[in-house]
Amino acid sequence: MTYQAKKAGLKEVEQLVHEQAVYQYLQENNEGVQMDKDQMLFLHEAISGSDLADASAYRVVSATLYMILAHDTHEKIDEPGDIVQLTRKEQELTVLAGDFYSALYYQTLAELEMIPLLRALQSGVQETNTAKTNIYQLHVATDEEYLTQLALTNAAIFAKFAKYFMKDETFIALGCQFFLLKRLQMELATYREIGASRLKRAFEHGYFAKEAITSFESWLIAIIRDVKMEVKRLKNESEPLSTILEKRITEIIND
């Protein structure tokens, strides 16, 4: 697929998501989460070699994005100890929005008669929920297990999608590490802005303590450094990537 064709396809997927009235309403009222364009980019890359017609492929990617939107939206629901707490009305709207996105996902895949994909992505949803619980309750024994579970909180759905469309393990690992890196960078930015991070409990618990780092920020920067190295390695070892994806990965590594 040419660069221009890839770009046009991504634009088509984005339009399918944005045209939903609920998405427009939530954005206009600053209530909804934004679609993750990097998830869209990796999903589009994963499906680009399939036998699906372009129109069907775009709908499949948009349906998967609805599910990711549902989880990102539900993620806004407060956890104990969060500094910023939603009002009851905001919580109710958040839950309804997440449920609506889930309904769009089921409806789209049912219309396309892609029940096996639906089942595969549902298992990704279950892995996401389990990983979130393991991270929040610190049900992990090693540093490596902690990062694996953290990666799954943002990449389990993508991984199931890519595996369904028979992408190789290196590409799937690249996507998982890419989304892990984005999560870590977001946590660092949030900590610098408001002095809070959901990962601080892991630092206080003693994960990645081998370098005897005394501050949370330095601890997080050291982990980001290591994950960047892993993303770079996987990018170099992966199957040929589209120009758009390769450029975006390079941007994140250099951030």
Side-chain angles (χ1 to χ4, degrees):
M1 185 179 290
T2 66
Y3 177 84
Q4 291 301 326
K6 173 77 73 172
K7 205 168 183 183
L10 291 168
K11 196 68 180 175
E12 181 71 22
V13 172
E14 188 173 359
Q15 182 61 34
L16 284 172
V17 175
H18 285 187
E19 71 184 11
Q20 294 296 329
V22 69
Y23 185 91
Q24 295 176 16
Y25 172 82
L26 291 170
Q27 297 305 310
E28 289 168 2
N29 290 274
N30 297 315
E31 297 287 357
V33 297
Q34 293 187 349
M35 181 189 69
D36 189 330
K37 292 187 177 181
D38 289 323
Q39 288 274 5
M40 178 179 69
L41 183 55
F42 268 91
L43 293 172
H44 195 272
E45 187 89 4
I47 205 173
S48 61
S50 75
D51 295 331
L52 288 174
D54 286 349
S56 294
Y58 300 156
R59 291 190 68 198
V60 169
V61 173
S62 67
T64 308
L65 287 168
Y66 293 144
M67 180 49 68
I68 294 170
L69 273 170
H71 275 268
D72 288 350
T73 301
H74 285 143
E75 182 78 2
K76 290 182 66 179
I77 298 298
D78 303 322
E79 290 182 355
D82 282 355
I83 291 178
V84 180
Q85 297 286 323
L86 298 179
T87 66
R88 181 170 181 176
K89 181 179 178 181
E90 288 171 336
Q91 289 180 341
E92 291 174 350
L93 182 58
T94 298
V95 171
L96 287 172
D99 291 345
F100 183 83
Y101 289 136
S102 293
L104 287 173
Y105 152 76
Y106 286 114
Q107 178 185 8
T108 303
L109 290 186
E111 288 175 352
L112 292 170
E113 298 182 346
M114 299 192 70
I115 304 305
L117 175 59
L118 192 152
R119 292 194 185 108
L121 295 183
Q122 281 181 312
S123 69
V125 171
Q126 292 170 350
E127 284 191 11
T128 300
N129 292 335
T130 299
K132 286 179 179 179
T133 299
N134 289 338
I135 288 298
Y136 181 70
Q137 298 183 359
L138 298 180
H139 287 169
V140 288
T142 66
D143 296 349
E144 291 74 17
E145 187 180 355
Y146 181 85
L147 279 189
T148 296
Q149 293 296 304
L150 185 60
L152 287 174
T153 64
N154 296 100
I157 296 173
F158 153 76
K160 294 296 183 181
F161 183 95
K163 187 174 182 179
Y164 179 88
F165 287 104
M166 302 180 69
K167 301 299 287 185
D168 68 30
E169 292 299 322
T170 303
F171 174 79
I172 295 173
L174 171 62
C176 291
Q177 290 297 304
F178 176 91
F179 293 120
L180 172 60
L181 177 57
K182 277 192 64 179
R183 170 69 184 274
L184 294 169
Q185 290 173 333
M186 182 268 296
E187 292 289 346
L188 179 60
T190 300
Y191 182 76
R192 286 173 170 172
E193 181 180 356
I194 65 173
S197 168
R198 289 183 174 182
L199 303 186
K200 197 169 183 183
R201 292 174 65 250
F203 168 71
E204 293 168 347
H205 188 76
Y207 288 109
F208 303 95
K210 55 183 176 294
E211 295 184 26
I213 294 173
T214 56
S215 75
F216 172 74
E217 184 172 338
S218 298
W219 174 86
L220 194 50
I221 289 171
I223 298 173
I224 289 172
R225 177 200 64 210
D226 292 343
V227 176
K228 279 185 176 182
M229 292 173 59
E230 182 65 4
V231 171
K232 187 174 182 179
R233 181 187 71 80
L234 289 166
K235 181 176 78 72
N236 293 336
E237 295 180 3
S238 179
E239 61 191 61
L241 304 172
S242 68
T243 303
I244 296 175
L245 182 56
E246 193 153 352
K247 180 181 178 182
R248 179 58 180 149
I249 293 170
T250 301
E251 288 175 353
I252 289 293
I253 292 173
N254 293 334
D255 188 2

